[in-house]
Amino acid sequence: MVMSDIGHVLVLAGGLSYEREVSIRSGRRVAEVLRAAGVDVETRDTDATLVPAVLSDPPDVAFVTLHGGAGEDGAIRSVLELLGVPYVGATPDACRVAFDKPTAKAVVRSWGLNTPDSVALPKETFHDLGATAVLGRIVERLGLPLFVKPSRGGSALGASIVRTAEELPAAMVGCFAYGDTALIEKYIRGVEVAVSVVDLGDGPMALPPVEIVPDGGVYDYAARYTAGHTEFFAPARLSGEATEACAAMAVAAHTALGLRDISRTDLIVDATGRPYFLEVNVAPGMTETSLLPMAAEAAGRDLGTLCKGLLEAAVRRGR
C-alpha cells in the first residue's frame, strides 16, 4: 500500500452529547475508509487526554466526526485552532450559526430560500406565560400539522410530528428533554431528501439528493440508525427540475451560512416540486446508514478518496 503524503491524521469521534454512539460509528467508518486509501489515521475521543496528546504528537490535520454539542457548535474546532491543527469543516463562527436551527433558518430566508414558517420558544417562556395560552396561539398561527424539534442537536432526538392540538404539550415536553428551546415548524407534506455538499477546493458542489422513506413515516432516531427501518433512494426519485432546485438550495445554504468543505442540508419537496430548507448539518453522519456516504456512492465517488480529498484541502488551507 502506498502511504498518503497527508501525514498523520486525527479523527475525532465520541464526545459527551446524546449522539455519542453515532459519532463513534461515524469516526470508525471514516478511519476505515481513510486507512484503505493509504492514510495514517489515529482516532481519539474528546476527553481530558486530547490536548496533551495533540501537544506531544501534533497531527498534520484532523477530521471531526463529532455530532451534536461541541462537535457542531464550534467549540472543538476552536480548540483545534488554538492548537494550530488544520481540520476538515466549517469555522467555529459558521458552526455556531448553522447549529442553531432558528438562526440558520433566518439566514437562509434572508437569502430568499424557502423554509417553513416557525416559532422558537424557550422553556422559560413556555412556563412563564402559561403553556395553554402560548400553545393555543401557535396552533392558531401556524396551523396543523406541526413539527417540533430542539433548536440545537440532531439525529431527530426530541423531535415529533404534531397532528392535533392535544398532542402539542407532550411534544414540547419531549423536546425540552433534549434542549432548552423548541423550534415549532409548520409541517410540510412531501418528499424528504438530504443533499450533501462537498468542496475539494474548486467551490461547493452538490452530490445527488438522497430520498428518505421511513417505515413508520417519521425519520426518527431508530429509523436513522437501525438497518432496514428506512428505505433510501439515491438519487432521489424527483423530476430533473426538482433535483436541480434541491441541489441549488443546498449549495446556497452552504454558502449563505459560510460553511466550507462539507455539509448536508435536509429538505422537504412538496407536491409541486418546490423544496423547503429544514436544517443543515456541519458534521454529517458517516455511518453505514448515513446519507452522505449514500450520496457519494450514487455519484460514483469512493468515500475514502472523497475524505482524503477533504483532508488535502484542509492541509493546503493550513499551509
Side-chain angles (χ1 to χ4, degrees):
M1 179 184 296
V2 177
M3 297 304 292
S4 166
D5 59 0
I6 296 173
H8 175 205
V9 173
L10 178 65
V11 172
L12 293 177
L16 295 177
S17 79
Y18 293 112
E19 299 171 77
R20 173 178 173 80
E21 293 306 316
V22 178
S23 172
I24 290 172
R25 290 166 57 185
S26 284
R28 185 184 304 126
R29 180 86 185 280
V30 169
E32 288 173 353
V33 298
L34 285 173
R35 289 191 182 106
V39 178
D40 175 24
V41 180
E42 174 192 9
T43 302
R44 273 197 170 273
D45 207 333
T46 53
D47 54 25
T49 68
L50 177 62
V51 172
V54 169
L55 291 173
S56 64
D57 183 18
D60 294 288
V61 62
F63 200 117
V64 181
T65 61
L66 296 161
H67 307 316
E72 296 182 64
D73 68 2
I76 286 297
R77 296 159 199 251
S78 293
V79 173
L80 291 173
E81 292 191 357
L82 288 171
L83 295 171
V85 178
Y87 56 88
V88 170
T91 65
D93 286 347
C95 285
R96 280 187 281 272
V97 173
F99 187 58
D100 187 78
K101 296 180 180 69
T103 303
K105 281 168 64 73
V107 171
V108 301
R109 185 183 288 113
S110 73
W111 275 55
L113 304 185
N114 303 319
T115 187
D117 290 341
S118 63
V119 60
L121 191 64
K123 185 189 298 184
E124 292 81 3
T125 304
F126 178 69
H127 290 300
D128 294 349
L129 298 185
T132 301
V134 173
L135 296 185
R137 182 58 181 162
I138 290 173
V139 172
E140 182 181 337
R141 168 70 177 80
L142 298 179
L144 291 167
L146 297 167
F147 196 82
V148 178
K149 59 187 174 183
S151 67
R152 298 184 168 199
S155 293
L157 292 167
S160 59
I161 294 177
V162 173
R163 304 187 188 280
T164 68
E166 292 73 23
E167 294 174 352
L168 186 52
M172 297 293 288
V173 171
C175 179
F176 287 139
Y178 290 93
D180 292 333
T181 299
L183 176 63
I184 306 105
E185 284 185 318
K186 183 177 181 61
Y187 181 72
I188 305 295
R189 292 183 176 87
V191 178
E192 187 167 358
V193 299
V195 184
S196 299
V197 173
V198 296
D199 185 351
L200 301 179
D202 299 321
M205 177 191 69
L207 297 177
V210 178
E211 179 182 349
I212 303 156
V213 186
D215 285 348
V218 180
Y219 194 41
D220 58 15
Y221 187 90
R224 287 168 187 252
Y225 301 113
T226 306
H229 280 216
T230 300
E231 191 172 8
F232 301 97
F233 296 90
R237 300 170 298 177
L238 300 172
S239 68
E241 184 177 353
T243 296
E244 291 179 7
C246 288
M249 179 171 282
V251 170
H254 182 96
T255 304
L257 293 164
L259 305 182
R260 69 184 187 192
D261 298 341
I262 187 170
S263 70
R264 192 198 73 231
T265 295
D266 297 337
L267 309 169
I268 288 286
V269 182
D270 70 11
T272 70
R274 184 186 193 192
Y276 288 79
F277 172 92
L278 298 179
E279 59 189 77
V280 69
N281 191 308
V282 300
M286 303 292 276
T287 73
E288 297 79 1
T289 58
S290 293
L291 303 167
L292 189 146
M294 292 183 200
E297 183 178 355
R301 307 189 69 153
D302 174 72
L303 184 60
T305 302
L306 179 62
C307 290
K308 182 179 176 182
L310 292 167
L311 289 167
E312 290 169 342
V315 169
R316 287 194 300 271
R317 187 167 55 236
R319 290 171 180 163

